[in-house]
Amino acid sequence: MNLAVTLPGARPLELKNPILTASGTFGYGAEFAPYGDLTSLGGIVVKGLSLKPRPGNPTPRIAESAAGMLNAVGLQNDGVEAFVKDKLPRLPWRQVPIIANIYATAPEEFGELGAILDGEEGVAALEVNISCPNVREGGVLFGQDPRLAAAVTAAVRKAAPHKPLIVKLSPNVTDITAIARAAEEAGADMLACINTLSGMAVDVRSRRPRLANVIGGLSGPAVKPVALRCVWQVCRAVNIPVIGLGGISCAEDVLEFILVGAHAVQVGTANFLRPDFAFDLVKALPAACEQLGVASLEELRGSLRL
């Protein structure tokens, strides 16, 4: 079965299959080479990159929860210059699209990151993490305000005119479609949803939070129903491709996201449980399609019967 996918638009993205890795769950990519063939994946989204290195949040940063996990890593990374110099050359970017996820606290910083990466041949696309605080607005998350989401998107679009631009949406909003439309109008080529849900965990014995940051991001199978709802709503609200993520743990989950309209998916938390998960998912997808009578991904996409 042909699993190749094209995310259409002014700056299309060609994938050999719809399976990408989610930022923050697959390191810089090379760390997972011992567990499978990186070039078999549809794409690799590297961990979030900032202008300068970030140490991240204090530990503990991760806590298990029912059917998922909470994380408050705090976007620890070596900075964009170290990525370009030391990490990117180690990746098979000629054989598999490498997508750089970027993080900042002001639209101008996002633009700087976009400008740096726009000239890198090994970067196939940019993914903008708008689930981060705008320090000038007193910590308001870019992804919770259509105006701020549009400002970030426009800044990156202007600074990086040659790369496909993916805006990653937060589910922690009243109306995710308002943010989606704002990003589309500001120049996004594609959208990814969802990022993690805000949550917390406590230890009743010590009477302390399980995360040093107190609040973290919930991911894993527990969030899949929310993710499916968001993808379905966003696909109906915009005219650009959507990448779905949130709780994917088997090939049938992938097909569910495509059924509600997604062009591709990202897998994340399952990579922590099994570092070979994404590679095996690519292998399992054709058999799942045959078993469920799916003749092609294009035929399945958006065919939910209401």
Side-chain angles (χ1 to χ4, degrees):
M1 180 178 181
N2 181 14
L3 296 178
V5 175
T6 298
L7 279 69
R11 302 163 191 82
L13 188 60
E14 304 285 342
L15 309 175
K16 65 185 68 174
N17 61 67
I19 310 299
L20 301 100
T21 59
S23 178
T25 70
F26 210 71
Y28 293 105
E31 300 94 318
F32 281 72
Y35 304 103
D37 180 4
L38 293 176
T39 66
S40 70
L41 300 172
I44 298 170
V45 186
V46 303
K47 68 188 304 181
L49 304 171
S50 52
L51 280 173
K52 301 297 181 183
R54 287 178 54 90
N57 289 328
T59 56
R61 297 173 169 183
I62 293 177
E64 289 190 57
S65 65
M69 62 176 277
L70 286 157
N71 94 84
V73 173
L75 293 155
Q76 176 185 349
N77 74 101
D78 296 336
V80 67
E81 291 184 7
F83 169 74
V84 169
K85 180 182 177 182
D86 303 323
K87 312 295 185 183
L88 187 57
R90 298 172 56 199
L91 295 171
W93 53 266
R94 295 186 187 276
Q95 289 80 43
V96 60
I98 306 300
I99 299 170
N101 178 286
I102 59 175
Y103 159 87
T105 57
E108 295 82 5
E109 292 179 18
F110 275 105
E112 289 183 60
L113 283 162
I116 292 169
L117 294 166
D118 193 52
E120 292 298 324
E121 183 183 8
V123 174
L126 304 179
E127 181 179 77
V128 181
N129 178 9
I130 59 173
S131 300
C132 44
N134 180 354
V135 295
R136 295 182 182 177
E137 298 286 339
V140 176
L141 299 186
F142 290 108
Q144 293 180 338
D145 184 322
R147 177 182 57 86
L148 295 177
V152 169
T153 304
V156 180
R157 176 77 291 155
K158 181 179 179 180
H162 304 106
K163 302 293 186 187
L165 179 56
I166 306 164
V167 175
K168 189 172 184 178
L169 305 180
S170 170
N172 301 308
V173 294
T174 302
D175 181 6
I176 196 170
T177 63
I179 312 297
R181 285 191 292 265
E184 179 184 31
E185 292 169 5
D189 295 299
M190 304 150 197
L191 301 171
C193 59
I194 55 172
N195 209 325
T196 56
L197 287 158
S198 292
M200 66 182 291
V202 298
D203 184 340
V204 72
R205 292 169 181 81
S206 66
R207 302 192 181 186
R208 293 183 178 276
R210 292 188 181 274
L211 296 173
N213 195 61
V214 183
I215 293 174
L218 177 66
S219 62
V223 310
K224 196 186 82 169
V226 177
L228 282 171
R229 183 265 297 175
C230 289
V231 170
W232 180 71
Q233 289 180 322
V234 169
C235 286
R236 290 158 63 94
V238 301
N239 295 308
I240 54 178
V242 175
I243 300 168
L245 65 153
I248 292 173
S249 58
C250 64
E252 189 167 326
D253 289 344
V254 175
L255 298 178
E256 289 183 15
F257 276 92
I258 294 175
L259 175 62
V260 300
H263 273 71
V265 300
Q266 293 179 7
V267 295
T269 300
N271 296 322
F272 292 111
L273 296 171
R274 281 184 44 202
D276 61 347
F277 174 77
F279 308 108
D280 283 355
L281 191 59
V282 172
K283 298 173 186 175
L285 192 55
C289 289
E290 183 177 356
Q291 182 180 4
L292 294 168
V294 176
S296 72
L297 298 182
E298 184 175 355
E299 170 266 329
L300 178 67
R301 185 176 304 113
S303 63
L304 185 69
R305 298 168 183 168
L306 301 177

